[in-house]
Amino acid sequence: MVMQCLSALLVLVNGLLIAVNSGPVQAQGDVRHGVILQYHHVSDSAPASTRVTPKAFRRHMEILKEDGFNVWPLARLVAFLQQDKALPDKTVVITIDDAYLDVYQNAAPILNEFGYPFTLFVSTDPVDQKLRGFMSWDQLRELQKQGAQLANHTQSHLHLLRKLEGESESEWLARIESELKQSEARIAEETGANWKYFAYPYGEVNERLLKKIQEWGFLGFGQQSGAVDKALLNSGIAPRFPFNEHYVDEKAFRLKAASLPLPIAKESSEPIVWSKAAKPQLKLTLTAVNGALTCFASDQGEINVVKTADKEFTIQSDTAIPVGRSRYNCTMPVAGQQGRYHWYSKTWIRKRDDGSWYRE
């Protein structure tokens, strides 16, 4: 049974990080950060972009045990970070999005075997409509009794940024607010859970929506790379490391699970969403520099990092970001801890040149 608790070597991955003051680099004995892992399908047959196989998932769980990781419930990590309490080094949280049936069939038994708590971010419409391939409320309640935490992933798993034809800004925001609050209400009605934790579908967000999520009282979680501390947790879109068949390498998994936040004092960047070809510029000021800051862009490899002043850097891709979602991913060695890295990821979204949205 899952136990319920109260109280780089450089690897290019998808991810997202919002500008916040992460504070000084924490020594190993003064840990105030953790890592949140993110999965979707645990299956041999789902699309590669959203699945890990049961074999790969089990291996990840074995590594957490072998390497001495502390696997905590999300609620416990949130409580420790918000209260600014020190926690054990190498603390991780397991999250799974969408409430697919294969998670009930394949992932939950493995998690039960290891005694690992986890969080399911649930899109409620597929459950209510009893769509094939999704769990039922009875199955979700069963997992909840075993220690799973159930949280919000909207009603319909929509693209949050895409306005309906003729929809005004205020109408769009009202629709998104209804999606979140109705899903939260359905989860509470069926299971009694009302955490106000929200995972962004597709990890898509813009500056306006980011502020509204916080105003509506939700803690937001993205599909992004990097460790999480108090400031990042409260940023509106806390980082999570996503895994799929393209990112299951054991060495990379160990690096990600053991990562620390990049110590950011200030970020200055261009808008997240673009409707034309662009090479967005990102400026970072760090509280400490422990070694080389190295950054990559999606589909481009390593990109330019220019140190403009003490602890200040400008990062920019060599060619235009592609249509769709892409990232700049940056890492820096952790002082005194060989093989561990601070990790930062910034997301960009580019629409087609005619202003229309890309196909998923």
Side-chain angles (χ1 to χ4, degrees):
M1 176 178 289
V2 173
M3 295 180 293
Q4 187 171 22
C5 300
L6 299 176
S7 322
L9 193 65
L10 300 172
V11 182
L12 181 63
V13 300
N14 290 334
L16 174 63
L17 185 64
I18 297 299
V20 294
N21 186 339
S22 294
V25 179
Q26 299 290 341
Q28 191 167 357
D30 188 24
V31 175
R32 285 172 169 78
H33 56 79
V35 167
I36 305 174
L37 313 176
Q38 182 217 4
Y39 299 89
H40 286 89
H41 287 282
V42 178
S43 167
D44 289 309
S45 58
S49 61
T50 56
R51 80 165 187 235
V52 296
T53 66
K55 180 179 179 180
F57 185 77
R58 172 178 288 278
R59 184 60 191 140
H60 284 183
M61 301 305 105
E62 290 172 346
I63 290 170
L64 295 178
K65 183 176 181 179
E66 292 169 2
D67 289 10
F69 284 90
N70 304 281
V71 182
W72 279 18
L74 180 59
R76 190 180 189 199
L77 178 65
V78 167
F80 269 63
L81 294 179
Q82 289 184 331
Q83 296 167 26
D84 200 27
K85 295 172 60 177
L87 61 156
D89 189 30
K90 296 172 70 174
T91 294
V92 301
V93 168
I94 299 165
T95 66
I96 308 177
D97 291 3
D98 300 326
Y100 291 120
L101 181 60
D102 56 61
V103 172
Y104 177 85
Q105 296 168 329
N106 301 326
I110 296 171
L111 291 162
N112 284 338
E113 179 183 335
F114 283 86
Y116 289 162
F118 62 102
T119 294
L120 286 171
F121 284 103
V122 180
S123 294
T124 55
D125 277 357
V127 182
D128 283 335
Q129 296 165 8
K130 301 180 181 180
L131 295 186
R132 183 178 180 182
F134 287 85
M135 291 186 222
S136 67
W137 286 115
D138 283 342
Q139 289 167 329
L140 287 166
R141 283 188 288 267
E142 180 182 342
L143 295 185
Q144 186 183 35
K145 290 177 181 177
Q146 296 172 0
Q149 182 178 8
L150 306 181
N152 194 332
H153 200 37
T154 72
Q155 287 179 281
S156 60
H157 201 280
L158 73 169
H159 286 273
L160 296 176
L161 301 184
R162 303 187 185 190
K163 294 180 181 177
L164 303 178
E165 186 174 354
E167 190 174 45
S168 68
E169 180 89 354
S170 61
E171 290 170 336
W172 164 63
L173 288 172
R175 178 169 57 86
I176 301 307
E177 182 179 12
S178 177
E179 274 271 347
L180 269 67
K181 292 185 175 179
Q182 290 298 320
S183 180
E184 192 75 18
R186 285 295 296 130
I187 293 170
E189 181 180 11
E190 291 287 346
T191 72
N194 185 212
W195 293 100
K196 299 297 286 288
Y197 299 166
F198 168 65
Y200 292 82
Y202 310 102
E204 293 179 343
V205 70
N206 62 15
E207 292 82 359
R208 177 70 169 146
L209 182 58
L210 184 65
K211 293 179 181 178
K212 297 303 292 186
I213 294 296
Q214 295 169 294
E215 290 177 13
W216 296 333
F218 287 90
L219 275 179
F221 296 84
Q223 298 188 24
Q224 61 203 76
S225 304
V228 60
D229 57 15
K230 181 178 180 179
L232 291 170
L233 179 70
N234 294 327
S235 70
I237 185 164
R240 296 186 293 166
F241 274 106
F243 294 97
N244 60 34
E245 278 302 283
H246 304 297
Y247 302 106
V248 294
D249 175 78
E250 292 183 16
K251 196 169 188 179
F253 178 80
R254 285 186 163 95
L255 284 169
K256 296 170 188 177
S259 66
L260 283 69
L262 194 67
I264 301 169
K266 181 181 178 181
E267 178 194 315
S268 175
S269 67
E270 297 182 90
I272 296 171
V273 181
W274 294 82
S275 297
K276 60 181 180 181
K279 296 184 286 184
Q281 190 177 84
L282 172 66
K283 295 182 179 181
L284 298 177
T285 301
L286 305 183
T287 61
V289 179
N290 304 322
L293 180 69
T294 307
C295 301
F296 295 80
S298 300
D299 301 325
Q300 295 187 37
E302 189 171 349
I303 58 175
N304 293 319
V305 177
V306 178
K307 189 173 184 179
T308 56
D310 183 42
K311 302 176 185 176
E312 295 181 6
F313 300 84
T314 297
I315 299 122
Q316 189 169 27
S317 60
D318 300 311
T319 60
I321 57 174
V323 171
R325 296 182 295 274
S326 61
R327 277 95 177 169
Y328 293 174
N329 298 287
C330 300
T331 60
M332 181 179 70
V334 175
Q337 298 186 53
Q338 186 175 1
R340 296 186 74 179
Y341 290 84
H342 301 280
W343 204 298
Y344 175 100
S345 186
K346 174 73 180 182
T347 210
W348 311 104
I349 296 173
R350 180 181 165 190
K351 300 167 73 174
R352 293 168 170 166
D353 292 343
D354 63 3
S356 64
W357 285 103
Y358 45 86
R359 292 182 180 273
E360 190 55 44

